[in-house]
Amino acid sequence: MRILRIETRSRAELVDVTARVREAVRASGVEDGLCVLYVPHTTAGICVNECADPDVARDILAALGRLVPDSGDYRHEEGNADAHVKAALVGSSLQLLVEKGMPKLGRWQGIFFCEFDGPRGGRELWLRVLQV
Amino acid sequence: MRILRIETRSRAELVDVTARVREAVRASGVEDGLCVLYVPHTTAGICVNECADPDVARDILAALGRLVPDSGDYRHEEGNADAHVKAALVGSSLQLLVEKGMPKLGRWQGIFFCEFDGPRGGRELWLRVLQV
Amino acid sequence: MRILRIETRSRAELVDVTARVREAVRASGVEDGLCVLYVPHTTAGICVNECADPDVARDILAALGRLVPDSGDYRHEEGNADAHVKAALVGSSLQLLVEKGMPKLGRWQGIFFCEFDGPRGGRELWLRVLQV
């Protein structure tokens, strides 16, 4: 298992980790298989989406913010209940196919670590590459 | 890796691909293992849900449409920002268990390719079956 | 494949299955690999989130309830259309990394079976542990 360490800079932020995931897959030496990504946090998630236009990431964050407002009728008292809900919606794990030593992504796809309760210095993305 | 090619007919549509996934798993010759499905697009997703009553798929699309309206306060200028958000909510990857050469689904479950920015002729669903 | 049988007690409920998943992974004898969890229902899902404060699970259910009301403009006539939508949002499958015979979870993470149309006596969570 490899750990990618991520520093986030805003309360809510989609961090493009595509290059780092690609590099970790290459470093694993696996030519053909599966790459499993896992977020070990409860107020962050992972998704794949368009990375060409940064407005897409902004729109995703804004839409999630409208669906699950920062403050509202929450019982959890740490002030980050919305972040837990967003993590549940976006999801904590993702798998990518690996071919010729590279994760196979669609033409416009990038991989985003989704911070919903930042900024935080100690975020992690766990990664494992399985040879098939 | 196998590629299922999918043609969609509406802007938003849940396309039942259960039979095609089943056939691809059978064709792989794997008896026992894991089937990984991956959508290489940024305005489409994949989910499992009820396929017996087509109203369920309609309700899912309608509910997503209410949550993330087609037009609104978006910055992405291609007119499909809502589709990117819906893809992030529904997800891009899915795994199924495989036994006796068949994907194991629950009694009422079907597999849906979720189009959010169609109609499009060139959609793909990537599929890989792993022997365990 | 192992089947965890789950009894739910409310219409909507997040059931903490962390200890049972941990036990099933240990019982599998796999030291190093991947644990695949799969929900074979269409009105239930699976997610990872905070289990230390039970208010988090309540907030997630309440937020989902506000996003997708129990009753509304649905066509599916069984009175559980909202549960199908929630299952599509939360997702039906999840994978965990396994090390030293244990699923690797983050410090605050627990695994929740998400009931959206209970109470039901016969829910299942399918689990498979792959040696890598």
Side-chain angles (χ1 to χ4, degrees):
Chain A
M1 192 183 93
R2 280 147 205 276
I3 297 177
L4 305 186
R5 293 182 198 284
I6 295 165
E7 194 167 333
T8 61
R9 295 174 186 181
S10 313
R11 176 145 205 275
E13 182 184 358
L14 295 200
V15 182
D16 186 340
V17 293
T18 315
R20 295 182 65 191
V21 169
R22 210 171 261 145
E23 177 51 32
V25 170
R26 188 165 23 215
S28 76
V30 171
E31 280 296 302
D32 204 41
L34 199 62
C35 172
V36 177
L37 298 172
Y38 186 82
V39 173
H41 308 289
T42 58
T43 54
I46 183 127
C47 76
V48 160
N49 216 291
E50 177 173 333
C51 56
D53 176 4
D55 278 343
V56 170
R58 280 191 215 108
D59 284 339
I60 291 172
L61 286 174
L64 285 170
R66 284 189 292 265
L67 292 175
V68 190
D70 287 12
S71 56
D73 183 18
Y74 300 118
R75 292 174 63 161
H76 183 54
E77 295 188 333
E78 293 175 28
N80 61 358
D82 66 301
H84 289 288
V85 178
K86 288 167 188 163
L89 289 175
V90 164
S92 305
S93 73
L94 182 69
Q95 71 251 331
L96 304 171
L97 304 177
V98 173
E99 281 192 351
K100 299 183 188 166
M102 296 280 281
K104 288 269 298 176
L105 292 170
R107 173 110 174 69
W108 303 104
Q109 287 184 324
I111 307 160
F112 291 98
F113 178 90
C114 309
E115 174 65 84
F116 298 122
D117 188 33
R120 298 207 190 201
R123 292 304 208 181
E124 299 185 356
L125 175 60
W126 295 353
L127 178 149
R128 178 134 196 196
V129 192
L130 315 180
Q131 176 79 41
V132 173
Chain B
M1 191 183 94
R2 280 148 203 275
I3 297 177
L4 305 187
R5 293 181 198 283
I6 294 165
E7 194 166 332
T8 61
R9 295 174 186 180
S10 312
R11 177 146 204 275
E13 181 185 358
L14 295 200
V15 183
D16 186 340
V17 293
T18 315
R20 295 183 64 190
V21 169
R22 209 171 261 144
E23 177 51 32
V25 170
R26 187 164 27 217
S28 75
V30 170
E31 281 294 303
D32 204 41
L34 199 62
C35 173
V36 177
L37 298 173
Y38 185 82
V39 173
H41 309 289
T42 58
T43 54
I46 183 125
C47 76
V48 160
N49 215 292
E50 176 173 332
C51 57
D53 176 5
D55 278 343
V56 170
R58 281 190 214 108
D59 285 338
I60 291 173
L61 286 174
L64 285 170
R66 284 189 293 265
L67 292 174
V68 191
D70 288 12
S71 56
D73 183 18
Y74 301 119
R75 292 174 62 160
H76 183 54
E77 295 188 333
E78 292 175 29
N80 61 359
D82 66 301
H84 289 287
V85 179
K86 288 167 189 164
L89 289 175
V90 164
S92 305
S93 73
L94 181 69
Q95 71 251 333
L96 305 171
L97 304 177
V98 173
E99 280 192 353
K100 298 182 189 167
M102 296 279 282
K104 289 270 296 177
L105 292 169
R107 173 110 173 71
W108 303 103
Q109 286 184 325
I111 306 160
F112 291 98
F113 179 90
C114 308
E115 173 66 83
F116 298 123
D117 188 34
R120 297 208 190 199
R123 292 304 207 181
E124 299 185 356
L125 175 60
W126 296 352
L127 179 150
R128 179 133 196 196
V129 193
L130 314 181
Q131 177 79 43
V132 173
Chain C
M1 190 182 95
R2 281 147 204 275
I3 297 177
L4 304 186
R5 293 182 198 282
I6 295 166
E7 195 167 330
T8 61
R9 295 172 186 183
S10 313
R11 176 144 205 275
E13 181 185 359
L14 295 201
V15 182
D16 186 340
V17 294
T18 315
R20 296 183 65 190
V21 169
R22 210 171 261 145
E23 176 51 31
V25 170
R26 186 162 27 214
S28 76
V30 170
E31 281 295 302
D32 204 40
L34 198 64
C35 172
V36 177
L37 298 172
Y38 185 82
V39 173
H41 308 289
T42 57
T43 54
I46 183 127
C47 75
V48 160
N49 216 291
E50 176 174 334
C51 57
D53 177 3
D55 278 343
V56 170
R58 280 190 215 108
D59 284 339
I60 292 173
L61 286 174
L64 285 170
R66 284 189 292 266
L67 292 175
V68 190
D70 288 12
S71 56
D73 183 18
Y74 300 119
R75 293 173 63 161
H76 183 53
E77 295 188 332
E78 293 176 26
N80 60 358
D82 66 302
H84 289 287
V85 179
K86 289 167 189 163
L89 289 175
V90 164
S92 305
S93 73
L94 182 70
Q95 71 252 331
L96 305 170
L97 304 177
V98 174
E99 281 192 353
K100 300 183 188 167
M102 296 280 282
K104 289 270 297 176
L105 292 169
R107 172 111 175 69
W108 304 103
Q109 288 184 324
I111 307 159
F112 291 99
F113 179 90
C114 309
E115 172 66 84
F116 298 122
D117 189 33
R120 297 208 191 200
R123 292 303 207 181
E124 298 185 355
L125 176 59
W126 295 352
L127 179 150
R128 178 135 196 193
V129 193
L130 315 181
Q131 177 79 44
V132 173

